[in-house]
Amino acid sequence: MEKISQSVVKKDHAAKMEGRSIYVADYNTAKDGRKILTGKILHSKTARAKVLSVSVPDLPEGYFYVDARDIPGDNNVNIVLDDMPVFCRDTVEYIGEAIGMVVGPDAKEVDRILSGINVELEELEPVLDLRKSTEAFFNYEYGHGDLQKAFAEADKVFDEEFETGYQEQAYLETQGMMAEPEDLDRMFVHGSMQCCYYVHGAVKRVLGTDNIHILQDVTGGGFGGKEAFPSILATEVAVAARKANAPVRCVFDRREDMEYTSKRHPSICRYKAAVKDGKVTALDIDVIFNAGAYSTLSAVVLQRGLIAAPGIYNVPNIHVTGRALKTNTSPCGAYRGFGAPQTFFAIELLMNHIAQDLGVEPLAFKEAHLVKQGDPTSTCGEYHFPVPVQDMINEIDAVCDYRKKRKEYAKAQEGRFRRGIGMSMYFHGAGFTGSGERDLIKAVTRLHKYPDGKVEILASNGEIGQGLRTTFCKIVSHELNIPFDDVFFEHPDTARVPDSGPTVASRSLMTVGELLRRASVQLKEIWKDGEEQEVEERYKEPDFLIPFHLDKFEGDAYPTYAWGVNAVELEVDTLTGVAKVLGAYGNFDVGTPMDYNIVMGQMEGGLLQGIGYSSIEKMDYDNKGRIRNNSYSDYLIPTTKDVPNLKCLLHVEKYPYGPYGAKGAGELPLVGVPGAYVEAMEQALGKGHRLNHAPFTAEDTLFEIMKEVGK
Amino acid sequence: MVNYAPKTLQEALKLRQETQSVPYAGGTDLMVENRKDVSYLFINRVAELQQVLEDEAYIRIGSGVTFTQALENKLVPELMKEAVSKIAAPAIRNAGTFGGNLGNGSAKADSVLIEYVMDAKIRLLSVNGERIVDVDRFYKGRRDLDLRDDELIAEILIPKQKIEKYAYQKVGGRNALAISRISFAGIVDTQDGKIKRIAAAFGAVADTVLRYKEIEKTMLGKTVEEAKELRETYIKAYMDNMVLTRGRVSAEYRKAVCENLLRDFLELI
Amino acid sequence: MNFYLNGKPVSHEGDPAARLLDVLRDDFDCKSVKCGCKEGECGACAVLIDDVLYNSCCVAMGSIEEAHVLTLEGFRETKQFAALSKAFGELSAVQCGFCIPGMVMASHALLLKNPHPTTDEIREGLSGNLCRCTGYNAIVNAVENAAKEGDGLW
């Protein structure tokens, strides 16, 4: 193991272990000692309606009602498009939308006032059925080759539809944000978030002033869920704090969080494939994502999903279309994998089904189509670096005996319990899609050296559990060859740190980590003992890249790829449909691990989230547009007892442009799990069952079994 | 609101009569409900309710006995332990009690299902005396108990019995922290090749736990051979009687699982 | 009403129906006790009462008269905690940290009852504590290591 990969005790270990870390809900007072007012949101209870009037009961002294009229700046949450308001405009578009906020010193009194508010509405017909939605926030199309010819010459054509459901991030700490008016009209906003500069941009616009600063508090998990939503909540508390001229905090309860905050987009993917001489020659793909009521991050989520749509297979002719459609439901957003899990699920199952139809073992069929270094990507970019997937398949086979079990379970299985095993393979495009890093983010980092030789990292990326405070410091201490304890990285405050971009897209370590390494090289060169020194480093696009054009979806969508292979082994109880995960295996190439334990923790955690997404994590809304699974007892995530046999391997294919060879890591382990899970389920069921959706629950399983006996 | 914390059973019964306050045993259901304007009668410190005893006829489980205590007690029947061991997780089993599981009046209560198949009786106490009620009479419907305002659940009386063969299955959403979506328990004893006793109960599929003693009666005295031949008839009788509700899973799924588990259970004969 | 908090006698005036969770956080500044759901479904607020693990969101104040409540604020001063902290640290078992106080209290409760648990027993002992970050392997292994290296402490 390389020195940089050797694990250390994490910078934030002691504080978190001892329960001393202060999360946003833990502050007793504001920074200046003032009492914190409690803010609670008046949520829409209707999926779509015109708001005619809001009558607020007489407010006791010290209590405020806040809504769009109190916004000093612009009533738009700064995300991608200008459609999401801070507080609703003339209409409400989903259950949960913020109409206003009640603020005051006593939480119970705030609740009482909230329940006394009367909202007069004119109900409108909501759009709830994704298939019937006609309003596309985003509509993309790309392709290459000659689709018509390929389909005309095909030996066989396949046409299948695949569906995936919501996934809720279910971070243990709910969304929470606090705003504190400071002297000289400055607004200080802090809380649980991934991207302090996103929040900064949003608050600035809503307050109409740059006289603000944003601090990331200790954040209890994100997984994408704290990429965009914190911008919404932050603007709401900031407006309230301005009106009350007092510190205001809003911490969601679990039900609010599960029901009203962003989740993974449900999807319907239709795949048509042309097959000739045992090879897939063309793919015609149409993807729709349920964006919810506002566009938020759906553009970028959809882009990533579409780019991944053909999987990691060489198919000469492809055509991909995709739309993010509006429904009157909670806006969907970022979640680990960011659009790709949906399409990887579809392509993996499609490949299985084609192989089975051709009488070939799916793994062999996939292996015959694998991309390799030098091949073009779906967007006519290039796989510039080695593709280690074949080796990774062999390594995972050695650990779980995949090929042998696959054969064994293919035999007819009788009796109450049936077993199956499945495998999926995929990538995660490391970093932002396309030229976002170069054109939009333009990351800047600094290293500040103090006279005592201690070095502080100044970057806007946030520790959300993934270990960034540790890995960043490891990179700097390694490059400067100074003790790990002499390097520190605090939670970012936009008053102090430059904008090195958001904590998203598995970019922080690969992209910002490399900037820090280069900054360390600079600092080393000019290092003078006893002096205060600072160096700065800015993002430069690697020169090997084929420029990406979003209008055509052409070029290198990603500089490099992290690779993943999963195997899942199941045993199904045919009486109840309940599946037991006998083993969940992952082999992951994220380049050089910046810390073995930290990377392993990411891989294991992501893999388990993937098992949840595939099986028990089911969320849906009713015919009013209300999400029914809004608590930890209704939306189930895995416990310690659900996948006791979970094993991850690391395969290292270094990326020369990442720090010491590191690539994006965080999202990868979740991305492809449903493909392996549902394939295992298909094999366990046997008898020609073809499955096409995830999560695949016990209920789904039993209904599938019931088809066998024609019940 | 006023709350009460008696130390003895007598004190508790007196307070219950005087105040009609809500008995608080483990709190795991009550605190989730988080009712406003409620007075609690904290009976969790009443030692008399926290014993497991036996007499000639019964294993007597005090209403204040927690699931963890039951799992560590030699007198508690194995079938009950199997069901109780699958409740939620340690912190809930440490707090949750037999009395509370009953008192919540839910068809999902895992210990209550076992009480049904084992023909348990519920001993109720008030300052005016005691009543002993069969569990299936005590459980009238969803959140509808045969419990008077002045009564407390004192003990669960499980008739001592030798169980020859039993089946128990809990279908939850996951392997821990799972509320039953369907639960099934069945007991069958044979003597001289004939069915001497049969009991089957279904939990979490309707407003209350379901057990059909009339159908069971039709099986009693049948030889094993006869019972096997009549198996599908029995199953049909059950299925015709069962009206299931949807909850976290559909009614159709519940019905299918109930039928499968019943059929599997009848294989034991 | 009176009870003991981390070894010290304390008293609380207020609604006996109040959640122990809220009282610990708001009145006794025990901010290690986290609120994750208020339904007993996540374990983030787990504490020990008379050496037994409870979810403090599901405990009413009126039920703990004279009881000994132990939160991480008290437990972190012990040798047992030091053993757990070392083991968690060596395996980087702490990620976002929000589940950790409950997880640590559950680990302690488990080891008090069963100082040499098997892996399955550890998974059972921690089964009421949700963690969304780690996939649990590191936590389970850390508890196993703490039990071995801290032999005799429990």
Side-chain angles (χ1 to χ4, degrees), chain A residues 10 13 16 18 23 25-26 28 168-169 221 254-255 335 465 597 601-602 605 609 617 638 640-641 646, chain C residues 25 29 31 34 36 39 41 72 76 85 89-90 92 94-98 123-124 127 132-133 136-137:
Chain A
K10 292 170 76 175
H13 169 76
K16 284 178 173 172
E18 292 166 10
Y23 299 77
D26 298 337
N28 286 322
E168 158 62 31
Q169 293 85 0
R254 182 59 60 187
R255 286 174 186 252
Y335 188 163
N597 282 346
Q602 287 294 295
Q609 285 185 2
E617 294 188 25
T640 49
K641 286 177 71 183
L646 181 142
Chain C
R25 284 182 57 84
D29 201 26
K31 292 297 196 308
K34 300 297 181 209
E39 300 187 351
E41 288 280 343
L72 189 51
R76 68 191 175 203
S85 180
E90 283 170 355
S92 304
V94 179
Q95 290 194 27
C96 88
F98 204 80
R123 286 192 178 266
E124 178 66 49
S127 62
R132 190 58 157 169
C133 295
Y136 303 109
N137 282 8

Side-chain angles (χ1 to χ4, degrees), chain A residues 197-224:
Chain A
Y197 269 99
Y198 280 3
V199 174
H200 189 103
V203 172
K204 172 183 166 183
R205 190 161 167 195
V206 167
L207 293 187
T209 171
D210 201 11
N211 193 17
I212 60 170
H213 66 117
I214 314 295
L215 166 76
Q216 183 215 8
D217 281 320
V218 180
T219 296
F223 317 114

Side-chain angles (χ1 to χ4, degrees), chain C residues 5-154:
Chain C
L5 176 58
N6 295 322
K8 295 191 189 78
V10 293
S11 65
H12 175 70
E13 309 282 323
D15 185 2
R19 298 172 195 276
L20 175 60
L21 162 67
D22 297 332
V23 172
L24 287 173
R25 284 182 57 84
D26 300 342
D27 299 331
F28 293 100
D29 201 26
C30 290
K31 292 297 196 308
S32 79
V33 186
K34 300 297 181 209
C35 173
C37 70
K38 290 202 177 180
E39 300 187 351
E41 288 280 343
C42 78
C45 67
V47 300
L48 269 62
I49 302 175
D50 296 334
D51 284 346
V52 175
L53 188 74
Y54 291 87
N55 294 318
S56 62
C57 68
C58 289
V59 174
M61 289 308 293
S63 71
I64 59 160
E65 179 79 39
E66 296 302 324
H68 287 261
V69 176
L70 180 68
T71 71
L72 189 51
E73 280 79 2
F75 181 58
R76 68 191 175 203
E77 307 300 330
T78 65
K79 283 183 180 162
Q80 295 149 327
F81 172 80
L84 281 166
S85 180
K86 182 165 176 283
F88 274 61
E90 283 170 355
L91 294 182
S92 304
V94 179
Q95 290 194 27
C96 88
F98 204 80
C99 74
I100 289 298
M103 204 62 93
V104 170
M105 299 316 288
S107 303
H108 177 48
L110 165 72
L111 294 171
L112 279 175
K113 264 187 132 167
N114 180 0
H116 304 289
T118 62
T119 311
D120 284 348
E121 285 166 345
I122 295 170
R123 286 192 178 266
E124 178 66 49
L126 304 181
S127 62
N129 296 76
L130 295 179
C131 164
R132 190 58 157 169
C133 295
T134 62
Y136 303 109
N137 282 8
I139 292 173
V140 171
N141 294 338
V143 174
E144 199 164 2
N145 290 349
K148 273 181 208 141
E149 289 184 28
D151 190 21
L153 290 174
W154 281 278

Side-chain angles (χ1 to χ4, degrees), chain A residues 79-158:
Chain A
I79 302 176
V80 175
L81 297 185
D82 283 348
D83 59 337
M84 174 111 199
V86 177
F87 294 112
C88 75
R89 301 189 185 95
D90 305 334
T91 62
V92 285
E93 301 290 330
Y94 66 97
I95 291 180
E97 180 161 1
I99 298 170
M101 185 184 254
V102 176
V103 167
D106 181 61
K108 280 184 186 144
E109 182 64 13
V110 169
D111 277 333
R112 196 192 63 77
I113 295 166
L114 262 183
S115 59
I117 294 177
N118 184 34
V119 182
E120 201 191 336
L121 297 170
E122 179 189 327
E123 289 208 26
L124 303 169
E125 187 63 33
V127 177
L128 297 172
D129 184 348
L130 178 60
R131 290 173 197 272
K132 287 185 183 148
S133 170
T134 51
E135 189 177 343
F137 289 124
F138 306 100
N139 191 343
Y140 300 121
E141 180 173 11
Y142 77 91
H144 55 77
D146 189 340
L147 214 69
Q148 256 186 330
K149 185 160 175 272
F151 274 96
E153 292 174 355
D155 300 333
K156 188 150 191 193
V157 170
F158 292 80

Side-chain angles (χ1 to χ4, degrees), chain A residues 469-668:
Chain A
R469 288 182 71 188
T470 303
T471 46
F472 271 8
C473 291
K474 279 181 84 175
I475 289 170
V476 171
S477 96
H478 188 267
E479 194 63 47
L480 284 170
N481 199 19
I482 61 174
F484 176 63
D485 288 345
D486 284 357
V487 185
F488 63 101
F489 174 39
E490 302 295 348
H491 284 265
D493 182 333
T494 58
R496 295 193 65 236
V497 302
D499 187 357
S500 61
T503 312
V504 303
S506 307
R507 69 179 282 277
S508 299
L509 205 65
M510 179 181 82
T511 305
V512 184
E514 173 63 10
L515 295 189
L516 291 171
R517 192 194 62 78
R518 290 194 338 232
S520 306
V521 172
Q522 261 194 69
L523 180 59
K524 201 172 181 181
E525 278 168 14
I526 60 161
W527 184 286
K528 284 202 181 108
D529 283 336
E531 278 188 24
E532 191 148 353
Q533 291 174 293
E534 189 163 287
V535 293
E536 184 178 286
E537 194 68 41
R538 288 170 178 272
Y539 178 76
K540 287 184 210 80
E541 194 166 74
D543 48 19
F544 68 83
L545 280 179
I546 302 168
F548 186 77
H549 301 283
L550 183 61
D551 50 342
K552 291 181 283 188
F553 273 71
E554 215 174 87
D556 277 328
Y558 306 99
T560 191
Y561 299 84
W563 302 95
V565 178
N566 289 135
V568 176
E569 186 182 3
L570 296 179
E571 181 178 86
V572 174
D573 181 344
T574 57
L575 298 188
T576 61
V578 172
K580 184 170 154 191
V581 178
L582 300 175
Y585 307 90
N587 192 359
F588 302 108
D589 165 31
V590 296
T592 310
M594 283 304 90
D595 181 292
Y596 180 81
N597 282 346
I598 286 177
V599 169
M600 241 356 183
Q602 287 294 295
M603 299 304 114
E604 290 169 349
L607 177 52
L608 189 62
Q609 285 185 2
I611 295 288
Y613 182 40
S614 312
S615 56
I616 58 175
E617 294 188 25
K618 184 162 174 80
M619 178 176 270
D620 211 347
Y621 50 80
D622 63 17
N623 60 6
K624 303 272 182 217
R626 178 176 295 283
I627 286 175
R628 300 172 73 239
N629 321 72
N630 64 358
S631 70
Y632 272 146
S633 50
D634 280 325
Y635 182 79
L636 303 183
I637 65 173
T639 68
T640 49
K641 286 177 71 183
D642 291 293
V643 191
N645 184 23
L646 181 142
K647 288 201 173 80
C648 291
L649 313 172
L650 296 180
H651 180 107
V652 179
E653 190 63 56
K654 290 185 181 184
Y655 172 51
Y657 296 82
Y660 312 109
K663 304 193 270 201
E667 291 169 275
L668 177 74

Side-chain angles (χ1 to χ4, degrees), chain A residues 128 136 161 173 199 232-233 235 245 256 266 333 367 604 711:
Chain A
L128 297 172
E161 200 170 82
E173 183 210 22
V199 174
I232 302 169
L233 194 55
T235 53
N245 194 27
E256 277 180 300
E367 285 171 329
E604 290 169 349
K711 281 186 181 169

